[in-house]
Amino acid sequence: MVPTLTTMILVTHLLLAGALLLTVNYLGARSRGYGYVSSTDIVGEAGNFGFNFLFRILTPSIYISFVSILFYYFDLPEFVQNIYLVVLYYSLINIVVIIVLNRWAFVNKISFFITQTFIFLTAYLFYTLALSKGLEFILPEAGNFRTELWLIILIYLYQLGDNFYPGYTFYEKRSMVLAGRFKKFWKEYAHLLSPEITQSAELSRIFFAIMIYEDLNRPPVYRFFEWLLFPLGRVSSSGIMQVQHGKYLSNEESVQLAQEKILKVVHENPALSLPDDADELIRAICVDYNGIIYFDHINSLYHELLYPHR
């Protein structure tokens, strides 16, 4: 059965939405120097609100504008019809991905939905004012003052948003979610740990901070695909603790091996006493576990796990 043009357009727009999500994540990951943070903000990073807001709003509209130019160039104007829906599909796919990755609890819901609304409205505005009218309405014209005017407005909004920071309530709720993860994992895996860890509040927080971070970055759905790809040599770490090993590890096996790695570092640094030297011990553990770049994430989670227990 030959697919209809409507079906082809829908499938193309859905594929473009998926590609947009990958594009935003790729560009965002490489824009952290400008203050970009993930929507889930799982490690408490302080981002630049102005950059994040404009980046998230403008990137989808610029994306569908570029795609529309290509469709017009290849004489496929039908695929430009209602192309703003690509942005709607992108937002829906983004929500599904966040839920599947078990990160929805870390999303600032009010900020997220306000941003998604602006994303869609901006894309619809681009579509109605330019994209739907043809190629000549997309490409800029010399001497058009509207371009400069909008640049001034965007610069103003950027500077305004640069001085805005999320309220304390959101971070308090996120800390409570992290505390919930801590309690959940403690019930599931504490029996596998030695008394040296379980009887030390600091070592327990360090261990489970690593577990929480690894589970957030490699949730069960990821680990399922790791299980499939491990025999092909495409995956080197496995289990909830993401320990590198020659065989695929179960969650329990990874906990045992991670415990050995962490205690080895603790025993090699007897001069570091807890809790006074917790940060330095975390640094030493992170360097051995996954490199120095790992330190900021684990250290942030370790200290955030303190808040709900005060």
Side-chain angles (χ1 to χ4, degrees):
M1 181 178 178
V2 179
T4 64
L5 179 60
T6 302
T7 302
M8 292 175 62
I9 292 174
L10 175 61
V11 172
T12 300
H13 285 184
L14 287 172
L15 292 174
L16 288 172
L20 173 57
L21 180 61
L22 295 175
T23 300
V24 170
N25 289 340
Y26 177 84
L27 295 177
R30 282 151 183 79
S31 302
R32 295 192 181 276
Y34 297 100
Y36 174 85
V37 293
S38 167
S39 296
T40 51
D41 190 19
I42 61 176
V43 294
E45 297 174 355
N48 182 322
F49 181 84
F51 176 81
N52 279 273
F53 191 68
L54 291 182
F55 173 81
R56 296 182 192 284
I57 288 175
L58 292 181
T59 301
S61 293
I62 293 172
Y63 174 86
I64 63 171
S65 297
F66 177 75
V67 170
S68 297
I69 291 173
L70 292 179
F71 282 141
Y72 281 126
Y73 179 80
F74 289 106
D75 196 25
L76 297 170
E78 302 89 354
F79 287 82
V80 180
Q81 184 177 2
N82 295 329
I83 198 168
Y84 65 91
L85 292 176
V86 168
V87 176
L88 177 61
Y89 302 149
Y90 152 77
S91 295
L92 295 176
I93 294 173
N94 193 20
I95 292 173
V96 170
V97 169
I98 292 173
I99 293 174
V100 169
L101 296 183
N102 198 23
R103 297 184 178 184
W104 185 246
F106 295 93
V107 174
N108 186 331
K109 311 296 190 304
I110 295 176
S111 174
F112 180 82
F113 283 112
I114 288 176
T115 302
Q116 298 306 309
T117 300
F118 274 102
I119 288 173
F120 179 76
L121 292 178
T122 302
Y124 183 73
L125 187 65
F126 269 56
Y127 176 76
T128 55
L129 295 182
L131 306 184
S132 63
K133 297 182 178 181
L135 192 59
E136 65 275 12
F137 284 85
I138 303 176
L139 300 177
E141 296 180 0
N144 189 340
F145 178 69
R146 287 177 298 177
T147 302
E148 289 79 1
L149 178 63
W150 278 104
L151 283 175
I152 293 172
I153 293 174
L154 290 176
I155 292 172
Y156 168 76
L157 291 174
Y158 180 88
Q159 292 298 325
L160 186 65
D162 194 23
N163 296 305
F164 178 85
Y165 296 93
Y168 173 75
T169 303
F170 166 66
Y171 293 108
E172 185 179 30
K173 289 180 179 178
R174 186 185 59 198
S175 292
M176 296 302 295
V177 173
L178 289 173
R181 295 286 175 95
F182 181 94
K183 293 176 182 177
K184 174 180 181 291
F185 289 145
W186 178 275
K187 290 179 180 178
E188 293 180 10
Y189 299 109
H191 68 281
L192 300 174
L193 303 178
S194 71
E196 187 172 1
I197 291 181
T198 58
Q199 293 177 11
S200 168
E202 291 78 17
L203 284 179
S204 295
R205 277 196 293 271
I206 293 172
F207 188 90
F208 285 102
I210 293 174
M211 182 180 289
I212 290 170
Y213 181 77
E214 292 295 354
D215 181 67
L216 286 167
N217 281 281
R218 290 291 185 273
V221 64
Y222 270 48
R223 298 200 293 272
F224 171 74
F225 286 105
E226 286 178 342
W227 174 71
L228 294 177
L229 296 174
F230 196 89
L232 303 178
R234 306 296 296 177
V235 176
S236 59
S237 59
S238 56
I240 192 170
M241 296 297 288
Q242 288 294 295
V243 178
Q244 293 191 1
H245 197 272
K247 72 166 188 173
Y248 184 81
L249 302 172
S250 66
N251 289 339
E252 291 74 13
E253 289 171 332
S254 72
V255 167
Q256 294 279 15
L257 291 177
Q259 174 181 222
E260 294 174 10
K261 287 172 64 68
I262 291 171
L263 288 179
K264 177 175 177 289
V265 175
V266 173
H267 297 155
E268 289 175 348
N269 293 272
L272 298 178
S273 61
L274 295 171
D276 295 338
D277 300 318
D279 289 356
E280 291 305 313
L281 183 58
I282 293 171
R283 185 185 301 275
I285 290 173
C286 288
V287 168
D288 178 75
Y289 202 93
N290 202 21
I292 188 60
I293 194 172
Y294 201 55
F295 169 72
D296 288 338
H297 304 310
I298 303 305
N299 194 48
S300 176
L301 283 174
Y302 170 85
H303 287 286
E304 193 157 2
L305 284 171
L306 290 170
Y307 302 150
H309 301 288
R310 286 179 177 175

